[in-house]
Amino acid sequence: METLRERKKRRTRESLLRAALELFTTQGYERTTVDEIAAACEVSQRTFFRYFAGKEDAAFAVQEMTEAHFLAALRARPPHEAPMEALRHAVLQDWDSIRETVESAVPMELYLRMYRTIESTPALLAAHLRRSTAVEESLARLLAEREGVDVDTDPRPRLAVAVFGGVIRVTERQWCLGRDFSLEAVRSLTVSYLDQVSSALQGNWRAN
């Protein structure tokens, strides 16, 4: 059971996170200072740094939660599913259940606005691509573990994740360029683009 002190810390962190994302999405990431975020919550700069290493850490805090949620969804997929099938089901399951994860920290609408801010801010986009590389490595190792192959000698786990990651990047880009910024729209695009992936990586990898 959460103690009073733990609840107070959680609420302070959530308040700082929400203030940061609101400022990033309304006045711009580069123009927002840590002092402004702290002031919006009536706390000190020192308090901000107790919860976040810096602005970038705050900008990607909710995304880290959703990435962990996706990895957990993939880990829980039935072992009989082929790798690309497991990735597909995991990402669609993630979109279907992401609202609860996101709204434990910030409103869904704010998360989706921040998603677009990341895509349109060069410094954040560069950080996003850098961080995506680490996530993709975790995915590749998880696939290798599921399939019983060595990720360092068998290229298929990283190849599958590279293809999957490419689809997700196209989805993100096209969604941000479109007019419908709803959760349903990004999920629909994900389905559409995954459907167009070549069948080259479909099927089981296990030896018969």
Side-chain angles (χ1 to χ4, degrees):
M1 185 175 178
E2 191 178 45
T3 66
L4 179 61
R5 184 170 182 272
E6 289 169 339
R7 184 159 60 250
K8 183 178 179 181
K9 289 177 66 176
R10 174 176 56 79
R11 287 175 176 170
T12 299
R13 185 182 189 278
E14 289 173 358
S15 178
L16 284 165
L17 178 57
R18 183 167 181 168
L21 300 194
E22 285 285 2
L23 287 167
F24 294 158
T25 57
T26 55
Q27 68 181 29
Y29 176 77
E30 301 288 3
R31 289 190 293 274
T32 299
T33 66
V34 169
D35 283 337
E36 287 177 306
I37 298 169
C41 300
E42 299 183 336
V43 299
S44 67
Q45 184 189 83
R46 184 177 179 181
T47 298
F48 173 89
F49 284 116
R50 286 197 194 114
Y51 295 93
F52 302 102
K55 288 198 307 178
E56 182 181 305
D57 192 27
F60 288 98
V62 182
Q63 190 172 58
E64 282 188 356
M65 293 168 59
T66 63
E67 288 165 355
H69 188 263
F70 171 58
L71 284 166
L74 179 60
R75 193 172 288 110
R77 293 309 305 170
H80 69 268
E81 290 183 347
M84 292 299 286
E85 181 185 7
L87 284 167
R88 178 192 178 95
H89 286 314
V91 75
L92 296 183
Q93 177 187 333
D94 191 50
W95 280 123
D96 289 340
S97 58
I98 199 174
R99 187 178 296 275
E100 183 178 352
T101 300
V102 170
E103 292 188 343
S104 68
V106 299
M108 190 69 198
E109 180 272 337
L110 178 56
Y111 168 72
L112 293 175
R113 274 196 284 137
M114 189 61 206
Y115 212 100
R116 301 197 301 277
T117 298
I118 290 171
E119 193 72 22
S120 62
T121 306
L124 288 178
L125 181 57
H128 174 50
L129 296 177
R130 184 185 72 245
R131 296 162 77 101
S132 294
T133 299
V135 174
E136 288 177 2
E137 181 62 16
S138 296
L139 287 173
R141 291 187 176 278
L142 180 51
L143 284 186
E145 181 183 335
R146 278 175 52 93
E147 299 302 308
V149 300
D150 186 345
V151 72
D152 294 319
T153 58
D154 190 324
R156 289 175 297 179
R158 289 193 176 99
L159 181 58
V161 170
V163 172
F164 176 79
V167 172
I168 297 304
R169 277 298 301 137
V170 171
T171 299
E172 291 173 339
R173 189 176 302 115
Q174 293 303 115
W175 177 70
C176 288
L177 291 173
R179 295 182 178 179
D180 186 348
F181 297 128
S182 67
L183 179 63
E184 292 72 22
V186 69
R187 187 195 186 282
S188 178
L189 281 176
T190 304
V191 172
S192 175
Y193 294 145
L194 283 173
D195 284 346
Q196 297 178 53
V197 173
S198 167
S199 63
L201 290 172
Q202 300 290 347
N204 291 311
W205 296 349
R206 299 178 181 92
N208 295 325

